[in-house]
Amino acid sequence: MRLPDFEAWAMFSAVAEHRSFTDAARAMSVSKATVSKAITRLEQHLDTSLFSRTSRRLTLTESGRRLADHASRIMVEGLAAEEAAREEITELAGIVRLGAPMSFGLTRVAPLLAEFMALHPAIIIDLNLSDERIDLVESGLDATLRIAAMPDSSLRARRLCDVRGHYVASPGYVERKGLPTHPSDLSDHDCLLYTNIPNPETWRFSRAGGETVAVQPRTRMMTNSGEAMLPALRAGIGITYLPDFIINEDLANGSLISILEEWQGAPIGLHLVTPPSRLRPARVEACLDFLALRLAQ
């Protein structure tokens, strides 16, 4: 099916309104030749004359009069669509679709979004919580938060802050199994593995001075949720490495203790990830700026 020549219909509407090729061209900020070619193109496609031309006057033919209202409606609808698009881009209203890791989303992101929605009553938040790596474009998300080392990709990733992690165990586990003093000791200890990362079976350690060690811990539990490890940790089942936003409360109340404190795991950061385009509606931009500012603190 051949699409209508919308440009020609819009120019026909302008000429019909102004009764002048020159005035129509001036109103549309195009050349008179452009308008003339568009009208000729439309007349040839319709196989009918739209205007009667003389050296002094330009008048609509009978066909032109019948079609002028249709052309005017096409023009009005096109302008209305562009206006709606501009409002969609600039108005702080509508849906913002976000993704975040499950535990971090519950503990840190959700409270901030409550604050943001209170500031902007016309904005609707669609929050997708998952520890899986979501395809941002395919899922239709405006942005997602990721806690990871970011690989190269076409997506735009803004690092907001470092995420500190700790190797932890319960006091009961340490009393029963002993305190590891070097990463190589973990081959004799039960460990809980977070699987939603590349190579979860290998733990990499570093410490001041540049020393690095890679070990394969003895596995007692595997899960794709850091929060799911907490009951086993508290029960003294094993050792694991978790970010502080999951274990801060347990460290504070003593149900877990930090071990191997001279050593750090692979560095990770909190990233705000968006599609490649820099163009975003104002509501999305406002939400991302709010989250970036608060989370970076």
Side-chain angles (χ1 to χ4, degrees), residues 111-180:
L112 293 180
L113 290 177
E115 292 183 35
F116 179 77
M117 287 187 288
L119 294 172
H120 302 286
I123 291 181
I124 300 166
I125 299 295
D126 181 356
L127 180 60
N128 185 311
L129 297 181
S130 174
D131 288 332
E132 299 297 324
R133 186 177 291 273
I134 298 172
D135 187 311
L136 192 63
V137 176
E138 184 177 319
S139 61
L141 296 178
D142 295 305
T144 188
L145 290 158
R146 289 182 182 168
I147 299 174
M150 292 299 299
D152 292 336
S153 76
S154 62
L155 300 176
R156 301 175 60 81
R158 175 181 173 186
R159 190 183 183 97
L160 301 182
C161 62
D162 293 332
V163 177
R164 177 168 170 75
H166 304 267
Y167 293 95
V168 292
S170 71
Y173 177 88
V174 172
E175 183 178 348
R176 190 174 72 258
K177 295 281 192 174
L179 180 69

Side-chain angles (χ1 to χ4, degrees), residues 22 37 41 45 47-48 62 76 83 93 100 111 119 149 158 167 170 187 197 199 204 217 219 230 239 250 253 275 285:
T22 301
K37 289 178 181 177
R41 193 167 69 241
H45 175 63
D47 196 25
T48 188
E62 182 62 25
V76 169
E83 185 63 26
L119 294 172
R158 175 181 173 186
Y167 293 95
S170 71
S187 59
I197 57 172
N199 304 317
R204 301 185 183 279
T219 304
L230 290 177
I239 296 169
D250 286 274
N253 64 28
E285 197 71 39

Side-chain angles (χ1 to χ4, degrees), residues 4 24 31 41 58 64 86 100 143 156 208 235 242 294:
S31 68
R41 193 167 69 241
L58 182 70
R86 282 192 290 271
R156 301 175 60 81
L242 284 174
R294 296 295 300 277

Side-chain angles (χ1 to χ4, degrees), residues 7-30:
E7 181 184 61
W9 280 104
M11 292 186 178
F12 167 54
S13 174
V15 175
E17 177 184 354
H18 292 279
R19 293 296 195 273
S20 164
F21 279 64
T22 301
D23 291 345
R26 186 181 299 115
M28 303 186 78
S29 300
V30 297

